[in-house]
Amino acid sequence: MKENILYTSVAPLLEYFNRLIPLSSEEKQLVAELFKPRLYRKRQYVLQEGDVCSSFNFVVRGCLRMYKIDDKGNTHIIQFATENWWLMDIGSFHGKEPSELNIDAIEDTMVLHISYNDLINLYTKGPKFNLIFRVLIENSFVSLQKRLLQNISSTAEERYLSFMQDYSHLNNRLPQVQIASFIGITPEFLSRLRNKLVKPKS
Amino acid sequence: MKENILYTSVAPLLEYFNRLIPLSSEEKQLVAELFKPRLYRKRQYVLQEGDVCSSFNFVVRGCLRMYKIDDKGNTHIIQFATENWWLMDIGSFHGKEPSELNIDAIEDTMVLHISYNDLINLYTKGPKFNLIFRVLIENSFVSLQKRLLQNISSTAEERYLSFMQDYSHLNNRLPQVQIASFIGITPEFLSRLRNKLVKPKS
DNA sequence: AACTGCATCAAGAAATAGTATTGATCTGGT
DNA sequence: ACCAGATCAATACTATTTCTTGATGCAGTT
């Protein structure tokens, strides 16, 4: 019975950084040292409600989701993260306080993660990473804001169509349940919506 | 979409302790404070080879397995833990050294766990727990020894029959692969064994 | 040399779990 | 009274996991 082996390449992350701003070889070295690979299998938790989020996660391949479970037990997906995206609960990470959110894997997923201390370390030894992470967070912020706006101002149908625009690559990769939970409707209703959109007149 | 909620009751653990030796309400309080609930999903690692085993785990519901992967990539299950059993790599825990063993969940599993420091804390504040944990470890030791004996002295068929005696409740709860790996044969051979035992003459 | 107790590999079959669709019925807001 | 959407239950479909079977091999007995 064979099990998965962790193949430890930071190449995708280096490339990601390099596209934002070129790195010196010392900086590359730093990244290679401080980021650790980690494999999560489908359905595995990366972060569980009540735990402190102790790392920044960069998805190398696979797909994660971050979500909140409300009092009624319903799941609300805040964010997906596929290849070359970051996912963590920044609030919990910086405040070192228990998270209200969960992160788990929707597919078998490989991440590169860096712990709190090592991130501080990274900033100290490579000040350029302050810039990089600022930009990176700003990007996330922008798309979050867009999503919020989308959400408060639209009907389910509009939200679905806008999801299809912004995340069309996720459409045939994710189960509908997840998409429904992302745009805030029931899977049944999404099924009907889709149906209606395909054959618009009956 | 309903998901599992971490229902944070230490009741099963208190009951477990109480059956060994009655606890005062301060001691119950200690337990409630120091043991933390944790949910592991099927196939999720609790402990990975190379990591230090940093907690004692009490299974509230579900099932864990502890196993070693040998040089050829074969899995050997050392122990199962279902409701009201403990599982950890004691060697790694006390020596604070990297474990050679893996622990993962065979079913979605809820455990109550206590960290190294909190366990020391528990012993200090509630000396009675020294007794409790001594007894508990002794119990584990005895069943381990029995298992070893069983193993070195029997054929596959005998080992299977003895498994059925001692763990009959696990028989229709676990996949055969796991049982095979526990008694040290291939799943194929276990299949044939079972067949032979059902229809003894043909 | 043949037999017994097991392993390995490959292929299907069977069982289970996860996902999607559909109908019926309900609700709160316009 | 109507619309956007929820909830519940039943069924269908799909994918994944688990089990079985046959063929073959091999190391120790007898």
Side-chain angles (χ1 to χ4, degrees):
Chain A
M1 188 192 309
K2 309 273 169 59
E3 302 251 338
N4 262 316
I5 295 288
L6 264 186
Y7 173 56
T8 63
S9 166
V10 289
L13 180 55
L14 287 174
E15 206 182 303
Y16 174 90
F17 285 145
N18 246 311
R19 261 204 303 272
L20 289 179
I21 181 170
L23 299 183
S24 72
S25 61
E26 294 81 42
E27 287 158 344
K28 286 178 184 168
Q29 189 51 39
L30 266 177
V31 170
E33 274 165 22
L34 299 179
F35 281 86
K36 306 276 157 53
R38 198 152 237 289
L39 214 52
Y40 293 98
R41 295 203 278 216
K42 199 175 172 177
R43 291 181 35 84
Q44 258 189 250
Y45 287 113
V46 175
L47 172 70
Q48 234 178 106
E49 192 177 343
D51 289 350
V52 173
C53 178
S54 61
S55 63
F56 263 51
N57 304 293
F58 176 81
V59 175
V60 174
R61 59 166 188 280
C63 183
L64 303 178
R65 86 223 241 245
M66 180 161 72
Y67 59 97
K68 158 103 191 166
I69 298 184
D70 68 21
D71 330 325
K72 289 187 200 136
N74 290 67
T75 298
H76 305 277
I77 296 179
I78 295 169
Q79 210 190 315
F80 293 118
T82 52
E83 287 76 11
N84 292 347
W85 276 91
W86 295 84
L87 197 60
M88 53 263 155
D89 177 353
I90 301 189
S92 167
F93 183 88
H94 279 120
K96 291 183 175 166
E97 52 196 30
S99 176
E100 300 188 340
L101 305 177
N102 299 274
I103 297 178
D104 66 14
I106 290 185
E107 305 169 357
D108 289 356
T109 300
M110 174 169 174
V111 310
L112 288 163
H113 76 168
I114 187 169
S115 70
Y116 188 89
N117 287 336
D118 282 346
L119 185 60
I120 302 303
N121 213 230
L122 184 71
Y123 290 150
T124 310
K125 293 189 182 155
K128 192 193 283 175
F129 287 101
N130 280 297
L131 186 161
I132 292 180
F133 277 80
R134 175 177 61 72
V135 171
L136 182 166
I137 301 285
E138 283 171 355
N139 289 344
S140 302
F141 184 85
V142 168
S143 70
L144 188 61
Q145 203 167 50
K146 182 173 178 189
R147 176 156 147 64
L148 172 67
L149 210 58
Q150 202 48 253
N151 229 282
I152 56 179
S153 66
S154 315
T155 66
E157 180 168 342
E158 287 166 337
R159 271 176 281 146
Y160 174 62
L161 289 171
S162 127
F163 169 85
M164 288 299 283
Q165 282 220 199
D166 296 350
Y167 301 86
S168 60
H169 58 294
L170 290 185
N171 181 46
N172 37 18
R173 181 166 173 182
L174 299 179
Q176 292 192 186
V177 207
Q178 310 295 352
I179 296 175
S181 161
F182 183 74
I183 62 182
I185 59 178
T186 58
E188 293 96 328
F189 193 64
L190 177 53
S191 173
R192 289 180 235 266
L193 254 184
R194 279 183 154 172
N195 239 312
K196 192 184 115 200
L197 291 171
V198 174
K199 25 182 162 117
K201 282 260 64 135
S202 74
Chain B
M1 185 199 311
K2 307 273 169 59
E3 300 249 339
N4 263 315
I5 293 289
L6 258 187
Y7 171 56
T8 63
S9 164
V10 288
L13 182 55
L14 288 174
E15 206 182 303
Y16 174 91
F17 284 145
N18 245 310
R19 263 203 302 272
L20 289 179
I21 182 170
L23 298 184
S24 71
S25 62
E26 294 79 43
E27 286 160 343
K28 286 180 185 167
Q29 189 50 39
L30 266 176
V31 170
E33 274 165 22
L34 298 179
F35 281 86
K36 305 277 158 50
R38 198 153 237 289
L39 213 54
Y40 293 98
R41 298 219 267 227
K42 201 173 170 176
R43 304 183 62 233
Q44 194 172 342
Y45 285 114
V46 175
L47 171 70
Q48 235 176 111
E49 193 176 344
D51 289 351
V52 172
C53 178
S54 62
S55 62
F56 263 51
N57 304 292
F58 176 81
V59 175
V60 174
R61 59 167 189 280
C63 183
L64 303 179
R65 84 223 242 244
M66 179 158 75
Y67 59 98
K68 158 103 190 165
I69 298 184
D70 70 18
D71 330 325
K72 288 186 202 136
N74 289 69
T75 298
H76 305 278
I77 297 180
I78 296 169
Q79 208 190 318
F80 294 118
T82 51
E83 287 75 11
N84 293 347
W85 276 91
W86 295 84
L87 197 59
M88 53 264 155
D89 177 353
I90 301 190
S92 167
F93 183 87
H94 279 120
K96 290 183 175 170
E97 51 197 30
S99 177
E100 299 187 342
L101 305 176
N102 298 274
I103 297 178
D104 67 13
I106 290 184
E107 306 169 357
D108 288 356
T109 300
M110 175 168 170
V111 310
L112 287 163
H113 75 167
I114 187 168
S115 70
Y116 188 90
N117 288 336
D118 282 346
L119 185 61
I120 301 303
N121 213 231
L122 183 72
Y123 290 149
T124 311
K125 293 188 182 155
K128 192 192 284 175
F129 287 102
N130 280 297
L131 185 160
I132 292 180
F133 277 80
R134 174 178 60 71
V135 171
L136 181 165
I137 300 285
E138 283 171 355
N139 289 344
S140 302
F141 184 84
V142 168
S143 69
L144 188 62
Q145 204 167 46
K146 180 173 178 189
R147 176 155 147 65
L148 173 67
L149 211 57
Q150 202 48 255
N151 230 282
I152 56 180
S153 66
S154 317
T155 67
E157 180 169 342
E158 288 165 337
R159 272 175 280 145
Y160 174 63
L161 290 170
S162 129
F163 170 85
M164 288 299 284
Q165 281 221 199
D166 296 350
Y167 302 88
S168 59
H169 58 293
L170 290 184
N171 181 47
N172 37 18
R173 180 166 173 181
L174 298 180
Q176 291 192 186
V177 208
Q178 310 295 351
I179 296 175
S181 161
F182 183 74
I183 63 184
I185 59 178
T186 58
E188 292 96 328
F189 192 63
L190 177 53
S191 173
R192 290 180 234 264
L193 252 184
R194 278 182 155 173
N195 239 312
K196 192 186 116 201
L197 291 171
V198 173
K199 25 183 164 116
K201 283 260 65 138
S202 78

